[in-house]
């Protein structure tokens, strides 16, 4: 087993301590931080993501794997910043205004991060203006919105309208998800993509950004 396979394996198992030790071991072998990230951590998280999509693992396993991956990323982050490694894209994500549900949004964010996106997580109950403002100031490639309530999911359209008014709609892709959201709703409000689950969200995001 290569060191990358070992890291990917421990990410899948959600073993933070082993991931930390293996990432440090790989660095001591002078393996580059971006190789460790993509061939080890991201590879492991991609496998978890695929299993989650196929109902071969469930939310708790995804959360522990994401935690292990985050530990590994924490070690690599300063080195990646030094080397200026480009992420797949920059995504501003959040749960829509009026909605406090954040579990699905957190998983979507973790899987996107695991796939190599830079995530700016605005949290839950995010005011529509904040989505637009952050997309602008962060120079986002992607805005990801989550909604669990039928009463407030309409705010997703307000964000899209706000992006148009701010003159940045053409430069940012919009992806939406959450239990009451459908492809038909995404089409109706003019979102670029819809994902029924967080793993599909990664596929949709990559496709929208040609990655
Ligand atoms: Co609430 N709640 N809740 N709740 N809650 C629902 C959503 C509800 C369906 C329950 C029910 O009545 N059967 C119902 C909504 C009804 C409706 O609008 N039609 C409801 C209600 C009514 C409420 C309150 C109004 C209750 C009250 O106070 N009377 C209140 C609202 C508060 C508010 O938001 N303003 C409320 C509160 C809460 C808790 C705080 C107690 C808690 C949330 C805790 C938290 O999130 N930190 C809670 C919970 C846990 C639920 C249920 C039980 C579970 C939601 C969840 O986390 N699912 C939910 C019932 C249900 O959905 N069956 C319910 C697991 C999660 C992984 O799934 O978020 O769908 P989900 O995410 C999936 C996909 O949708 C997708 O990927 C995820 C994983 O694959 N996805 C994305 C989601 N976002 C995505 C974004 C993407 C891509 C994919 O790209 C950006």
């Amino acid at each position: 087993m290569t060191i990358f396979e070992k890291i990917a394996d421990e990410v899948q198992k959600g073993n933070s301590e082993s991931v930390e030790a293996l990432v440090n071991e790989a660095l001591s072998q002078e393996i580059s931080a971006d190789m460790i990230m993509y061939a080890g951590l991201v590879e492991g998280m991609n496998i978890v993501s695929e299993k989650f999509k196929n109902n071969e693992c469930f939310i708790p396993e995804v959360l522990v794997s994401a935690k292990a991956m985050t530990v590994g990323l924490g070690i690599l982050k300063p080195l990646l910043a030094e080397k200026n490694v480009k992420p797949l894209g920059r995504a501003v994500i959040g749960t829509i205004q009026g909605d406090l549900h954040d579990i699905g949004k957190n998983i979507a964010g973790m899987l996107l991060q695991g796939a190599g996106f830079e995530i700016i997580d605005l949290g839950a109950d995010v005011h529509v203006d904040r989505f637009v403002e952050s997309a602008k100031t962060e120079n986002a490639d992607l805005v990801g919105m989550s909604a669990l309530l039928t009463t407030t999911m309409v705010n997703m359209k307000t964000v899209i309208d706000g992006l148009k008014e701010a003159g940045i709609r053409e430069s940012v892709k919009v992806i939406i998800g959450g239990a009451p959201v459908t492809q038909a709703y995404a089409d109706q409000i003019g979102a670029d993509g819809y994902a029924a689950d967080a793993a599909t969200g990664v596929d949709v995001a990559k496709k929208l950004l040609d990655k």
Side-chain angles (χ1 to χ4, degrees):
M1 219 187 223
T2 66
I3 187 120
F4 303 120
E5 286 166 339
K6 282 186 195 166
I7 293 172
D9 200 44
E10 295 302 329
V11 167
Q12 286 179 70
K13 289 181 190 153
N15 196 339
S16 297
E17 278 175 21
S18 303
V19 169
E20 185 178 2
L22 284 163
V23 166
N24 283 322
E25 188 186 324
L27 286 172
S28 73
Q29 292 172 14
E30 306 208 342
I31 298 173
S32 69
D34 49 333
M35 276 291 284
I36 301 171
M37 179 174 77
Y38 285 117
L41 299 172
V42 170
E43 188 55 34
M45 207 56 209
N46 281 343
I47 297 168
V48 175
S49 197
E50 222 25 61
K51 284 188 175 167
F52 182 55
K53 194 155 63 177
N54 299 327
N55 291 323
E56 289 164 28
C57 76
F58 301 97
I59 292 167
E61 285 109 308
V62 177
L63 294 177
V64 284
S65 289
K67 191 169 165 244
M69 182 202 65
T70 307
V71 168
L73 274 183
I75 302 168
L76 299 178
K77 229 172 193 168
L79 303 165
L80 294 168
E82 262 169 37
K83 275 192 70 186
N84 219 358
V85 172
K86 265 185 88 106
L88 286 188
R90 182 175 266 220
V92 165
I93 66 163
T95 306
I96 198 67
Q97 188 176 337
D99 192 336
L100 296 171
H101 298 86
D102 67 355
I103 298 169
K105 180 269 298 170
N106 290 345
I107 296 173
M110 284 180 213
L111 294 192
L112 281 168
Q113 186 186 22
F117 285 84
E118 185 183 344
I119 301 298
I120 296 112
D121 187 345
L122 303 179
D125 187 17
V126 179
H127 195 282
V128 288
D129 295 342
R130 211 168 146 234
F131 268 113
V132 176
E133 199 47 42
S134 301
K136 209 172 176 177
T137 53
E138 299 288 352
N139 206 9
D141 304 295
L142 194 78
V143 169
M145 291 183 275
S146 182
L148 268 286
L149 297 172
T150 45
T151 44
T152 53
M153 62 193 263
V154 288
N155 288 328
M156 288 173 153
K157 180 173 185 314
T158 318
V159 171
I160 294 176
D161 292 343
L163 294 170
K164 283 182 196 155
E165 276 162 32
I168 54 169
R169 180 66 188 95
E170 298 308 316
S171 58
V172 71
K173 299 290 182 193
V174 176
I175 171 172
I176 63 172
V181 178
T182 59
Q183 181 64 55
Y185 185 66
D187 295 341
Q188 186 191 321
I189 66 170
D192 300 296
Y194 156 73
D197 59 74
T200 305
V202 172
D203 297 340
V204 173
K206 280 184 177 169
K207 202 167 165 210
L208 287 173
L209 298 181
D210 287 326
K211 302 290 174 189

